[in-house]
Amino acid sequence: MCIAGILGLGAALLWRHPSPPVDLATGTYLSPRRELADFSLIDQRGQAFGSRELRGHWSMLFFGYTNCPDFCPATLATLAAMEKRMRASGAPVRPQVVFMSVDAKRDTPQQLAKYVPYFDPEFVGVTAADQPTIEAVARKLGVGVIIEPKSDGSYTVDHSGAIFVLDPDGKLAAILTGPFTADALQADFQRIASGRG
Protein backbone atom coordinates (compact mmCIF):
# COMPACT_ATOMS: atom_id res chain seq x y z
CA MET A 1 0.00 0.00 0.00
CA CYS A 2 2.90 2.35 0.72
CA ILE A 3 4.31 1.85 -2.77
CA ALA A 4 0.87 2.40 -4.32
CA GLY A 5 0.59 5.66 -2.39
CA ILE A 6 4.05 6.84 -3.44
CA LEU A 7 3.36 6.04 -7.10
CA GLY A 8 0.02 7.84 -6.87
CA LEU A 9 1.68 10.90 -5.35
CA GLY A 10 4.25 10.85 -8.13
CA ALA A 11 1.49 10.93 -10.75
CA ALA A 12 -0.19 13.85 -8.97
CA LEU A 13 3.04 15.82 -8.79
CA LEU A 14 3.72 15.18 -12.48
CA TRP A 15 0.39 16.74 -13.46
CA ARG A 16 0.14 19.29 -10.64
CA HIS A 17 -0.96 22.86 -11.29
CA PRO A 18 0.40 25.49 -8.86
CA SER A 19 -2.94 27.04 -7.90
CA PRO A 20 -5.91 24.70 -8.43
CA PRO A 21 -9.22 26.59 -8.64
CA VAL A 22 -11.12 23.70 -7.01
CA ASP A 23 -10.16 22.54 -3.53
CA LEU A 24 -10.36 18.75 -3.17
CA ALA A 25 -10.17 16.62 -0.03
CA THR A 26 -8.53 13.64 -1.74
CA GLY A 27 -6.38 14.97 -4.56
CA THR A 28 -5.42 17.59 -7.11
CA TYR A 29 -7.67 19.47 -9.56
CA LEU A 30 -6.01 20.09 -12.93
CA SER A 31 -6.41 23.40 -14.69
CA PRO A 32 -6.14 23.48 -17.58
CA ARG A 33 -7.35 19.95 -18.15
CA ARG A 34 -4.95 17.57 -19.90
CA GLU A 35 -5.47 15.72 -23.15
CA LEU A 36 -5.13 11.95 -22.80
CA ALA A 37 -3.12 10.28 -25.56
CA ASP A 38 -4.97 7.68 -27.65
CA PHE A 39 -4.67 4.07 -26.54
CA SER A 40 -6.16 0.68 -27.44
CA LEU A 41 -7.10 -1.93 -24.85
CA ILE A 42 -9.72 -4.69 -24.43
CA ASP A 43 -12.69 -4.65 -22.06
CA GLN A 44 -14.15 -7.56 -20.10
CA ARG A 45 -16.47 -8.43 -23.00
CA GLY A 46 -13.54 -8.75 -25.39
CA GLN A 47 -14.43 -5.48 -27.13
CA ALA A 48 -11.97 -2.72 -28.04
CA PHE A 49 -11.66 -0.01 -25.40
CA GLY A 50 -9.79 3.22 -26.08
CA SER A 51 -9.91 6.94 -25.52
CA ARG A 52 -13.18 7.12 -27.49
CA GLU A 53 -14.90 5.09 -24.74
CA LEU A 54 -13.94 7.79 -22.24
CA ARG A 55 -15.87 10.50 -24.08
CA GLY A 56 -19.49 11.57 -23.61
CA HIS A 57 -19.51 11.04 -19.83
CA TRP A 58 -17.38 11.48 -16.73
CA SER A 59 -15.02 8.62 -15.84
CA MET A 60 -12.99 7.53 -12.83
CA LEU A 61 -10.03 5.38 -13.88
CA PHE A 62 -8.21 3.15 -11.40
CA PHE A 63 -5.18 0.90 -12.02
CA GLY A 64 -4.97 -2.48 -10.29
CA TYR A 65 -5.03 -6.24 -10.79
CA THR A 66 -7.32 -9.07 -9.76
CA ASN A 67 -4.69 -10.89 -7.67
CA CYS A 68 -4.04 -7.75 -5.60
CA PRO A 69 -4.44 -8.80 -1.96
CA ASP A 70 -5.75 -5.63 -0.35
CA PHE A 71 -5.45 -2.16 -1.86
CA CYS A 72 -7.26 -2.84 -5.15
CA PRO A 73 -10.33 -4.60 -3.73
CA ALA A 74 -10.56 -2.02 -0.94
CA THR A 75 -10.51 0.86 -3.44
CA LEU A 76 -13.02 -0.85 -5.75
CA ALA A 77 -15.32 -1.48 -2.77
CA THR A 78 -15.09 2.21 -1.84
CA LEU A 79 -15.87 3.26 -5.41
CA ALA A 80 -18.83 0.85 -5.41
CA ALA A 81 -20.11 2.38 -2.16
CA MET A 82 -19.79 5.83 -3.73
CA GLU A 83 -21.76 4.71 -6.80
CA LYS A 84 -24.47 3.16 -4.61
CA ARG A 85 -24.83 6.41 -2.66
CA MET A 86 -25.02 8.46 -5.85
CA ARG A 87 -27.70 6.19 -7.33
CA ALA A 88 -29.72 6.32 -4.10
CA SER A 89 -29.54 10.13 -3.96
CA GLY A 90 -30.54 10.49 -7.62
CA ALA A 91 -27.30 12.28 -8.52
CA PRO A 92 -27.77 13.83 -11.98
CA VAL A 93 -24.17 13.07 -13.00
CA ARG A 94 -22.38 9.82 -12.13
CA PRO A 95 -18.99 8.67 -13.40
CA GLN A 96 -18.21 5.55 -15.35
CA VAL A 97 -15.74 3.57 -13.20
CA VAL A 98 -12.96 1.88 -15.18
CA PHE A 99 -10.67 -0.72 -13.58
CA MET A 100 -7.51 -0.86 -15.73
CA SER A 101 -5.47 -4.00 -15.12
CA VAL A 102 -1.70 -3.77 -14.79
CA ASP A 103 -1.37 -7.57 -15.09
CA ALA A 104 -2.08 -8.53 -18.70
CA LYS A 105 -0.85 -12.12 -18.28
CA ARG A 106 -3.34 -13.14 -15.59
CA ASP A 107 -6.10 -10.59 -16.13
CA THR A 108 -7.75 -11.83 -19.30
CA PRO A 109 -11.13 -10.40 -20.35
CA GLN A 110 -12.71 -13.57 -18.93
CA GLN A 111 -11.02 -13.03 -15.56
CA LEU A 112 -12.12 -9.38 -15.46
CA ALA A 113 -15.68 -10.42 -16.37
CA LYS A 114 -15.77 -12.54 -13.20
CA TYR A 115 -13.98 -10.05 -10.94
CA VAL A 116 -15.17 -6.54 -11.76
CA PRO A 117 -18.98 -7.05 -11.59
CA TYR A 118 -18.58 -8.45 -8.07
CA PHE A 119 -18.07 -4.86 -6.93
CA ASP A 120 -20.61 -3.20 -9.22
CA PRO A 121 -22.31 -4.54 -12.38
CA GLU A 122 -21.75 -1.21 -14.16
CA PHE A 123 -17.98 -1.11 -13.60
CA VAL A 124 -15.82 -1.61 -16.69
CA GLY A 125 -12.67 -3.74 -16.60
CA VAL A 126 -9.95 -3.33 -19.23
CA THR A 127 -6.76 -5.20 -20.03
CA ALA A 128 -4.39 -5.81 -22.95
CA ALA A 129 -3.03 -8.73 -24.92
CA ASP A 130 0.45 -8.12 -23.49
CA GLN A 131 2.19 -6.38 -20.59
CA PRO A 132 4.11 -3.77 -22.63
CA THR A 133 0.83 -2.39 -23.98
CA ILE A 134 -0.59 -1.94 -20.47
CA GLU A 135 2.61 -0.33 -19.21
CA ALA A 136 2.69 2.08 -22.17
CA VAL A 137 -0.83 3.30 -21.34
CA ALA A 138 0.10 3.63 -17.66
CA ARG A 139 3.18 5.70 -18.53
CA LYS A 140 1.00 8.15 -20.47
CA LEU A 141 -0.66 8.95 -17.14
CA GLY A 142 2.60 9.07 -15.20
CA VAL A 143 1.92 5.70 -13.58
CA GLY A 144 4.76 3.32 -12.82
CA VAL A 145 4.21 -0.46 -12.94
CA ILE A 146 6.76 -2.72 -11.22
CA ILE A 147 6.52 -6.53 -11.34
CA GLU A 148 7.99 -8.14 -8.21
CA PRO A 149 8.78 -11.90 -8.53
CA LYS A 150 8.14 -14.08 -5.45
CA SER A 151 10.06 -17.14 -4.29
CA ASP A 152 7.16 -19.47 -5.17
CA GLY A 153 7.30 -18.45 -8.85
CA SER A 154 4.33 -16.08 -8.71
CA TYR A 155 4.56 -12.29 -8.63
CA THR A 156 2.97 -9.14 -7.35
CA VAL A 157 2.54 -5.87 -9.23
CA ASP A 158 3.32 -2.51 -7.62
CA HIS A 159 1.33 0.32 -9.17
CA SER A 160 -0.24 3.70 -8.53
CA GLY A 161 -3.11 3.86 -6.06
CA ALA A 162 -4.45 7.06 -7.63
CA ILE A 163 -7.88 7.51 -9.20
CA PHE A 164 -7.85 9.55 -12.41
CA VAL A 165 -10.95 11.64 -13.12
CA LEU A 166 -11.70 12.35 -16.79
CA ASP A 167 -14.27 14.80 -18.10
CA PRO A 168 -16.80 14.11 -20.92
CA ASP A 169 -14.22 15.28 -23.48
CA GLY A 170 -11.90 12.52 -22.28
CA LYS A 171 -9.53 15.05 -20.69
CA LEU A 172 -7.84 14.50 -17.35
CA ALA A 173 -9.57 16.77 -14.83
CA ALA A 174 -8.18 15.58 -11.48
CA ILE A 175 -5.93 13.03 -9.80
CA LEU A 176 -7.20 11.68 -6.49
CA THR A 177 -4.59 10.17 -4.18
CA GLY A 178 -6.60 9.52 -1.01
CA PRO A 179 -7.24 8.62 1.65
CA PHE A 180 -10.48 7.40 0.09
CA THR A 181 -13.92 7.13 1.62
CA ALA A 182 -17.22 6.95 -0.25
CA ASP A 183 -18.26 10.32 1.20
CA ALA A 184 -15.00 12.06 0.26
CA LEU A 185 -14.96 10.62 -3.27
CA GLN A 186 -18.55 11.62 -3.90
CA ALA A 187 -17.99 15.14 -2.61
CA ASP A 188 -14.80 15.58 -4.63
CA PHE A 189 -16.38 14.20 -7.79
CA GLN A 190 -19.29 16.61 -7.46
CA ARG A 191 -16.85 19.53 -6.96
CA ILE A 192 -14.87 18.47 -10.03
CA ALA A 193 -17.96 17.95 -12.22
CA SER A 194 -19.43 21.31 -11.21
CA GLY A 195 -16.09 23.14 -11.30
CA ARG A 196 -16.68 24.57 -7.83
CA GLY A 197 -14.33 24.50 -4.84
Side-chain angles (χ1 to χ4, degrees), residues 60-79:
M60 297 179 88
L61 175 66
F62 172 67
F63 288 87
Y65 65 113
T66 63
N67 282 277
C68 178
D70 42 38
F71 189 80
C72 304
T75 302
L76 285 169
T78 303
L79 285 164

Side-chain angles (χ1 to χ4, degrees), residues 122-192:
E122 293 185 10
F123 284 7
V124 177
V126 296
T127 188
D130 56 73
Q131 191 66 20
T133 299
I134 284 286
E135 293 184 17
V137 174
R139 278 195 302 273
K140 291 175 182 178
L141 284 164
V143 172
V145 176
I146 303 167
I147 294 180
E148 296 281 357
K150 296 170 67 177
S151 58
D152 63 2
S154 65
Y155 59 90
T156 60
V157 187
D158 293 331
H159 58 88
S160 169
I163 295 171
F164 298 85
V165 183
L166 295 106
D167 72 12
D169 293 324
K171 293 181 178 180
L172 189 59
I175 300 174
L176 309 181
T177 53
F180 299 134
T181 65
D183 286 348
L185 284 175
Q186 180 178 354
D188 275 354
F189 173 74
Q190 289 171 337
R191 288 187 191 101
I192 295 162

Side-chain angles (χ1 to χ4, degrees), residues 46-126:
Q47 303 296 312
F49 188 99
S51 52
R52 182 176 62 182
E53 281 66 44
L54 297 173
R55 299 190 187 111
H57 47 75
W58 286 89
S59 298
M60 297 179 88
L61 175 66
F62 172 67
F63 288 87
Y65 65 113
T66 63
N67 282 277
C68 178
D70 42 38
F71 189 80
C72 304
T75 302
L76 285 169
T78 303
L79 285 164
M82 177 202 73
E83 283 283 326
K84 184 176 180 180
R85 289 172 55 89
M86 294 181 79
R87 285 191 200 103
S89 68
V93 179
R94 292 189 295 113
Q96 167 186 248
V97 175
V98 180
F99 177 72
M100 185 171 287
S101 172
V102 292
D103 186 2
K105 181 178 179 180
R106 294 181 293 194
D107 288 348
T108 62
Q110 294 82 4
Q111 173 67 9
L112 290 176
K114 290 186 289 184
Y115 181 80
V116 175
Y118 171 81
F119 297 95
D120 190 291
E122 293 185 10
F123 284 7
V124 177
V126 296

Side-chain angles (χ1 to χ4, degrees), residues 27-58:
T28 303
Y29 184 87
L30 303 179
S31 179
R33 294 178 179 171
R34 314 297 204 268
E35 291 279 357
L36 187 62
D38 286 339
F39 62 90
S40 180
L41 297 173
I42 308 163
D43 71 14
Q44 76 265 36
R45 299 167 300 162
Q47 303 296 312
F49 188 99
S51 52
R52 182 176 62 182
E53 281 66 44
L54 297 173
R55 299 190 187 111
H57 47 75
W58 286 89

